Each structure stands twice: as C-alpha cells, then as structure tokens.
Amino acid sequence: MLQRRYDNITQSLFDRAQTLGIETGLDRLERQEPQCAFGQLGSCCRMCYMGPCRIDPFGNGSQRGVCGATVDTIVCRNLLREEVGGAASHAGHARHVMLTFKKMLEGRAPGYKITDREKLMEVARGLGIETEGRSDEEIALEVADKALEDFTRQDDGILNWMRLRAPEKAIKKWEKLGILVSNAHNEIEEAMHRTSMGNDADPVNLLLGALRIGLVDGYAGLHIATDFQDIMFGTPRVRKIEASPGVLEPNMVNIAMHGHNPLLSEKILERAGRLSDEARAQGAEGINVVGVCCTGNELTMRHNVPMAAHNLQSELLLLTGAVDAMVVDVQCIWPGSQRIAECFHTKVITTEPFVKIPGATHIAFEPEEADQKAELIVKEAIEAFTRRKGRDVFIPEGKTTALVGFSVEAIIDVLKKINPEDPLMPVIDNIKSGNIFGAVGFAGCPSIKLRHTGMTEKMVREMLKNNILVVTTGCTAHICAQAGFMNTDATEKYCGEGLKAVLSALGDAAGLGAPLPPVWHMGSCVDNSRIASLLGALADRLGVDVSDLPVAGSAPELVQEKAISIGTWLLALGLLVHIAPHPRIMGSPVAVKVLTEGLRDLTGGRAYVELDPQKASEGIIEHIRERRKALGI
Ligand code: NFS
Ligand code: SF4
C-alpha cells in the first residue's frame, strides 16, 4: 500500500495508476526503501576495483578505504563528481545552442534566425565587440566565437562569459581563492581526473574544485544558454498562461514537450501551428502543445504555451491517456515514461542520439534539418491521435492561471515606468523601508520523497507572509504556478502589507490594473542566470558584494546533480543556499563544516540543510535579518 499522499491533482493520477494496475515512480520508491544509508551520506566509494569501499561515519567498521582514503576524501570526491554531471549537462546544453547559432549564421541551419537583435547588441558590447558599421551577422559570428573560446582556449585567460556576466567584486573574490576558470571542458576533465583513484585526497582542495565547477556551470552553462536562447527565440516578456495537467485537451492532438532545449521545442511549436489543418482532417479540433519541465518553462515564457507538468508529474501525465506524443530531448526524462506510454496509444519520441529509451520512437533531430524533422514528429503525433479517437481519457480537472516571463529586461521595463533614469531605485527604496524585507529564489525540482509534504508551497507562503519577494525557475516554477502563487489574486491572499503595497504599485505602473504576482517566474533552470544577473545589478547599484544582499536561494526539493552544481555556483557568489533533502555530504565532517560554516569567510556563501519547512523558513528569514542589519537597514 502506498504511504505518501500528494496534492489532489497529482494524487488523482497516482490513484488512476493504482486502479489500472500501472506502476509509477512511487511504487518503485517505496520498493527501494529503506534506501542505502552509505549512499545517502556520500560515504561509499566506487572509484576503483579494490573497492567498493564504504565507511560508517558513526565509527563502526573500517574508517578508511582499501587505498587509505578517509571518509572526507570519499565524500568530497563524490560531491565533485556529482557536480561534474550537472555542469556537463548545462555546458552541453549551452554549447549545443551556441553551435546551432553559429551554423545558422553560416547558412547551415536555415530553420533558425536572430529574433532579439537588441539582446545580441547588448551581449556584443558587453564582450567588447565592435558594433559600429558592421552587419548583424558579422557581430553575431564574433559573439559565437567568443562563446566557443570558453570551450576551447588553452591559455590562462578567464571565461569570456564570466567577464561578461559576473560582478566585478565576485571575480576579485574568486581570483584571491585561485578558482577562476578559463575553459569549461578543461575544468570538467580536470575534475574527473582529480577525483579518479589516487589523485586529490585533500577534502578542502576538492571543495575548492567544487566551487570551480560551480563557476563553469554558472557562466559556461547557464549564462551562455540563456543569452543565445534569448537572441534566437526572443527575451521573455510578462504574459498570462494556464498551468496544471488539466491543460490537456480531450479533442485535440496533445503534444507534450519535455526536456530542456528550446532548439527542439520551438520548432515543434511552430510546425504544430502549420499542421493544424492536417490534424483537423483527422478529426481533431487542432493541435495542443503543452510544456513539461524546463523546456515547458522556455515555451511558456516566450509563447504562452500552457505549463502541464513538473518533473514528478512527467510520467503521470501519460496516465491521462490523452497525450498523443511526448517529445523529449535531454535531461530529467524518466525511462519509466515509456512503460506507461505502452499502456496507451501514446508515443514517446526521443530526438537526441545520445538519449534513447528502449521501446520509444527515435527521430534524430538535427538543427540542419530542423523544419523537416519537426514536421515528421508532429505528424507522428497526429497519427497517434487517430489511434486514440473515441477512447476514454482522464484529464484531472482544475487549472490555475499564472503570469510568467519575468526576464530581467521585463522587470527593468516595469521599473522604468516608475523611475526611467534609475530603474532599480524603487526596489532599493522599498528594501530599505522594509516593504520588501528581502528576496528568495526558489529553484530546482519536485522530489517524490518530499512532494507530499508540500515543502515548497509551505516555504513560499511563509516568505510572502514576511514580505519576502519570491522569484522562481525550473520545476519549482511549475509547482508555484499550480499552487496559484503566480496570479494577481495571490498577492492579496498571501503577502504581508508591505509587499502587497509594492506589488500593487508595480502592477499599476505596468498597466495591469491589478497587482503583480508575488512569485515571479524567471524561467527554466538555465535561467537561474537571470536571477544572478538581477542580484548582480542590485549589488552593483548599491556598491556592495552579492553576498551582502538580504537574499537567499533555496532548492527545497533537490533531485538532480544539476541543482547541486547550480547551488555551488550560488555558494561561490556568496549566497545562503537552503537545500532539502540532505545533500550527500553529511558523512564528511570536513565537507559539512566547510560548506555550512567555513565558506562564509571565503565567499560569503553558506549551505543550509533543513527538511522542516517551518524551520527552514525561519532560518532563511534570520539570515535576511542579519544581512539587513549589516547593511544598516
Ligand atoms: Ni532543473 Fe529542468 Fe525539473 Fe529539476 Fe529537471 S526539469 S533543469 S533539474 S527536474 S527543475
Ligand atoms: Fe576503495 Fe580507495 Fe578504490 Fe575508493 S579509490 S574504491 S576508497 S580503494
């Protein structure tokens, strides 16, 4: 019997699985429990074949691996490897987008174009590229080459994108620590090298290595991805959308886009628009593209595509029997999805040659033939619909509305309406007065282990009550949209008086005729770059370091290695980073001490592990209070 109970919509899908006798992640989780304690503490090593070795941090049994490695060495090596997994994912994503951009300029990827010229010029000027008297293509090519250099250079220069996007004060801080990075691939290689058997055994040195990988993740991964995506597909603007699995339409061809890279999802959306007559000819009322996980965030921020599901709901969405095709590219795709799809008419379509799932349809999606491939995929979905026609579907009722698209540019545009010369000033004034007590970025995933506790929702409500503005990305954004935190009613319902007043004034300035929502959707996980840019701009305007700001980050339901590498980047920037469940560092006294205390003196950052939502909120609020005090406000 399943132990955990989730929010109504998620639960209704789990219940349906039970009724139909279909296995889900929850069955598998509960069969896995109790999960291995060594694994959870990070104290198991498989780096060589004299092992695997495992060390009980409570002092029972051997305290060293066969080679003599201590638990601190083992835990810190494992942590660094987790981060490499995250940073490789983000760097791979960024490189893929950047190389497609370059192909487009060379005429080899005709399905793509420059959409946001203004952003291109902003990036070019920031990189020190001459823009006067040159064509857009020439400028763009140089921008692409600068990004390519961050994956190829062999000198000691620092990442171009770090110079472009990191605050000056932060770069100085990292220089002192000797952790400036110059080439994403070299760093990933070195991290794998130093963690293999018989290399770096110094836990503190390994943790400094972890900070380096955090910087790779932030600048060569997230920032490069966001910048090129904005240039190619447009910088998001505020717009109103719908969220929850209820956005599926019983009589339409439903295509669920799942994964991360807008190179694919943008083209599918475009082709779906063109093929709606074909769908009608097959008896459908049209084609309904909906978004899952991060690629869903990308689509909703730029094109109002409804947000259907976060990661925990990704396989559950198929239990509706209403999804005709789930089209995926990279990252966070549960292999179990295919097993559920097989119980229905649903097609899971993989598109990336290095991401295949047994039983799924594979259509390799190359940027050179983006239009043709996208058309082929949409036609597969229409064909699947013809096999569904007439069968019952189960679409959970209840949709929420949300305002999304809070890019830094969109936020500044609103603020300019209040103070055109100094747009950040109104924010700063309100922080000083305490109307905005602070801000917290909620990012990351939904954990099947914690989702039933409503961890994220409870923490968000606590923040808003205490006049703390919330910004969010990734699957946490899906959770917040489904919880109804992103519409104008939420401001009245959840915010303290100060925050309510600020959001009302901003809503008026934006011409909304209603307050802005209290939780701002800033994008996908790679768009944590946007949060960092906003913090950087605020810190610069105040003449302080990012670590001095009354802000914090939280990954309240950590799942992915990617969240670990993003979190480490934020630690390097100097933020308090709250994490739940326990990261796999608890087996190492050194890792715990350095990450939760020692780091404060090095970067200003601090990891904060707390699984109780009330206590975690109090800890974050206390941190914000301390930061305000130090700033004298
Ligand atoms: Ni982020 Fe996005 Fe979701 Fe978690 Fe996965 S989709 S990259 S890792 S699960 S938030
Ligand atoms: Fe054991 Fe050392 Fe080999 Fe790890 S590297 S498995 S601790 S012998």
Side-chain angles (χ1 to χ4, degrees):
M1 192 52 212
L2 301 174
Q3 302 297 318
R4 297 166 171 86
R5 290 199 69 78
Y6 297 79
D7 59 275
N8 289 344
I9 286 181
T10 309
Q11 189 62 43
S12 70
L13 291 164
F14 277 128
D15 290 346
R16 175 159 159 92
Q18 289 251 289
T19 312
L20 298 176
I22 297 174
E23 178 193 280
T24 67
L26 186 53
D27 300 289
R28 295 187 292 265
L29 171 66
E30 295 192 352
R31 258 181 249 136
Q32 286 284 344
E33 289 178 321
Q35 289 177 313
C36 171
F38 294 99
Q40 293 186 61
L41 293 165
S43 61
C44 152
C45 182
R46 297 185 309 134
M47 294 323 180
C48 88
Y49 279 77
M50 294 191 288
C53 303
R54 50 186 214 178
I55 295 177
D56 179 344
F58 303 107
N60 300 319
S62 172
Q63 290 303 295
R64 285 184 184 257
V66 176
C67 68
T70 63
V71 74
D72 290 315
T73 302
I74 290 174
V75 167
C76 294
R77 279 197 305 220
N78 287 341
L79 176 70
L80 186 44
R81 285 224 166 165
E82 271 182 35
E83 278 195 43
V84 168
S89 305
H90 287 141
H93 174 157
R95 188 173 54 88
H96 190 175
V97 177
M98 172 263 291
L99 289 177
T100 302
F101 182 77
K102 203 163 151 61
K103 279 182 191 159
M104 165 196 88
L105 296 168
E106 293 162 353
R108 292 189 289 138
Y112 299 95
K113 62 179 197 299
I114 294 173
T115 300
D116 192 340
R117 187 174 175 273
E118 217 176 298
K119 182 98 181 200
L120 170 67
M121 295 304 158
E122 186 256 323
V123 172
R125 281 191 297 269
L127 289 165
I129 292 169
E130 183 58 59
T131 54
E132 287 300 311
R134 303 176 75 194
S135 73
D136 289 1
E137 284 66 30
E138 274 176 313
I139 297 167
L141 204 55
E142 207 174 324
V143 168
D145 285 338
K146 286 275 184 201
L148 194 55
E149 205 172 86
D150 286 348
F151 294 87
T152 53
R153 71 193 307 161
Q154 299 297 331
D155 59 18
D156 292 333
I158 76 167
L159 290 177
N160 294 325
W161 248 259
M162 186 187 280
R163 277 242 185 278
L164 172 67
R165 294 301 184 203
E168 201 52 47
K169 284 193 166 62
I171 296 183
K172 290 223 172 78
K173 197 159 69 176
W174 300 329
E175 191 172 13
K176 260 206 221 141
L177 284 173
I179 58 170
L180 289 177
V181 292
S182 106
N183 170 334
H185 285 172
N186 289 7
E187 291 297 328
I188 287 169
E189 177 208 89
E190 187 172 282
M192 288 306 283
H193 183 176
R194 77 194 290 172
T195 50
S196 67
M197 192 271 177
N199 288 292
D200 203 354
D202 178 345
V204 175
N205 204 35
L206 285 160
L207 292 171
L208 286 172
L211 292 179
R212 297 179 77 98
I213 295 296
L215 298 182
V216 167
D217 193 87
Y219 299 104
L222 313 190
H223 271 292
I224 289 188
T226 298
D227 283 339
F228 282 93
Q229 287 170 185
D230 280 356
I231 295 171
M232 288 170 94
F233 306 118
T235 302
R237 298 287 155 186
V238 178
R239 55 187 76 238
K240 194 170 171 186
I241 60 99
E242 287 185 323
S244 116
V247 299
L248 292 171
E249 291 290 343
N251 302 321
M252 294 175 87
V253 176
N254 289 305
I255 302 180
M257 288 306 310
H258 174 15
H260 284 81
N261 200 326
L263 289 176
L264 171 71
S265 54
E266 285 272 339
K267 293 313 292 188
I268 299 289
L269 181 67
E270 188 189 301
R271 285 289 131 175
R274 294 188 191 188
L275 289 169
S276 52
D277 281 346
E278 199 154 313
R280 277 191 205 100
Q282 297 300 330
E285 286 171 7
I287 302 178
N288 182 34
V289 176
V290 302
V292 178
C293 290
C294 276
T295 215
N297 287 322
E298 302 281 356
L299 286 175
T300 203
M301 299 263 288
R302 296 194 176 89
H303 304 286
N304 299 64
V305 168
M307 297 167 69
H310 53 63
N311 195 248
L312 170 53
Q313 297 165 331
S314 60
E315 66 168 11
L316 302 181
L317 197 65
L318 306 187
L319 288 160
T320 58
V323 177
D324 300 300
M326 177 171 261
V327 185
V328 306
D329 51 26
V330 293
Q331 304 169 19
C332 305
I333 302 145
W334 293 28
S337 304
Q338 173 59 22
R339 293 189 66 192
I340 298 185
E342 280 164 13
C343 303
F344 300 91
H345 71 295
T346 307
K347 273 190 185 157
V348 173
I349 303 177
T350 57
T351 57
E352 172 59 54
F354 69 81
V355 181
K356 292 187 178 177
I357 300 174
T361 306
H362 185 75
I363 299 178
F365 181 83
E366 294 102 11
E368 287 86 345
E369 293 185 329
D371 290 324
Q372 298 88 318
K373 290 297 175 79
E375 183 156 330
L376 204 63
I377 292 168
V378 174
K379 284 184 171 167
E380 288 276 335
I382 296 173
E383 190 277 326
F385 172 84
T386 61
R387 285 184 286 115
R388 160 161 70 98
K389 244 185 340 193
R391 284 203 223 163
D392 276 352
V393 295
F394 171 82
I395 300 175
E397 273 184 34
K399 289 186 264 191
T400 50
T401 57
L403 286 183
V404 302
F406 287 80
S407 60
V408 177
E409 290 84 345
I411 295 169
I412 298 284
D413 276 356
V414 173
L415 294 173
K416 270 189 181 157
K417 296 199 173 131
I418 298 178
N419 187 337
E421 271 79 54
D422 192 357
L424 289 175
M425 210 49 216
V427 177
I428 290 169
D429 286 341
N430 278 296
I431 293 176
K432 282 188 181 155
S433 74
N435 276 342
I436 302 176
F437 192 67
V440 175
F442 281 87
C445 327
S447 167
I448 194 164
K449 295 184 185 178
L450 288 177
R451 191 79 292 271
H452 62 293
T453 67
M455 182 81 186
T456 301
E457 294 90 328
K458 284 181 185 153
M459 287 185 71
V460 168
R461 277 200 289 270
E462 208 46 40
M463 295 302 123
L464 300 182
K465 200 168 82 189
N466 285 283
N467 296 309
I468 294 170
L469 180 72
V470 171
V471 297
T472 184
T473 56
C475 285
T476 308
H478 284 270
I479 296 173
C480 289
Q482 290 186 26
F485 291 147
M486 288 183 183
N487 52 48
T488 54
D489 296 345
T491 307
E492 181 59 41
K493 206 162 157 192
Y494 299 111
C495 294
E497 291 308 319
L499 187 57
K500 210 182 283 178
V502 177
L503 293 168
S504 301
L506 289 175
D508 284 345
L512 264 183
L516 282 190
V519 175
W520 292 359
H521 188 327
M522 292 190 73
S524 62
C525 282
V526 297
D527 292 335
N528 282 309
S529 59
R530 301 191 200 277
I531 298 181
S533 293
L534 192 58
L535 294 180
L538 266 178
D540 282 352
R541 177 63 188 77
L542 284 167
V544 300
D545 187 59
V546 170
S547 63
D548 298 322
L549 296 172
V551 301
S554 172
E557 301 184 34
L558 163 73
V559 172
Q560 265 271 4
E561 290 173 333
K562 291 179 285 176
I564 293 280
S565 47
I566 295 172
T568 314
W569 172 43
L570 300 181
L571 289 176
L573 272 168
L575 296 186
L576 174 90
V577 180
H578 164 253
I579 311 152
H582 291 96
R584 294 181 188 137
I585 60 167
M586 307 313 277
S588 161
V590 172
V592 171
K593 191 150 177 62
V594 170
L595 294 172
T596 64
E597 292 174 36
L599 202 57
R600 275 180 128 162
D601 301 328
L602 302 179
T603 68
R606 178 159 66 94
Y608 171 45
V609 182
E610 177 55 65
L611 272 65
D612 178 82
Q614 188 60 35
K615 282 194 198 140
S617 303
E618 283 162 16
I620 289 174
I621 294 168
E622 189 46 41
H623 167 81
I624 290 176
R625 195 172 288 127
E626 273 171 27
R627 284 293 185 260
R628 293 184 63 92
K629 215 166 144 200
L631 284 171
I633 53 175

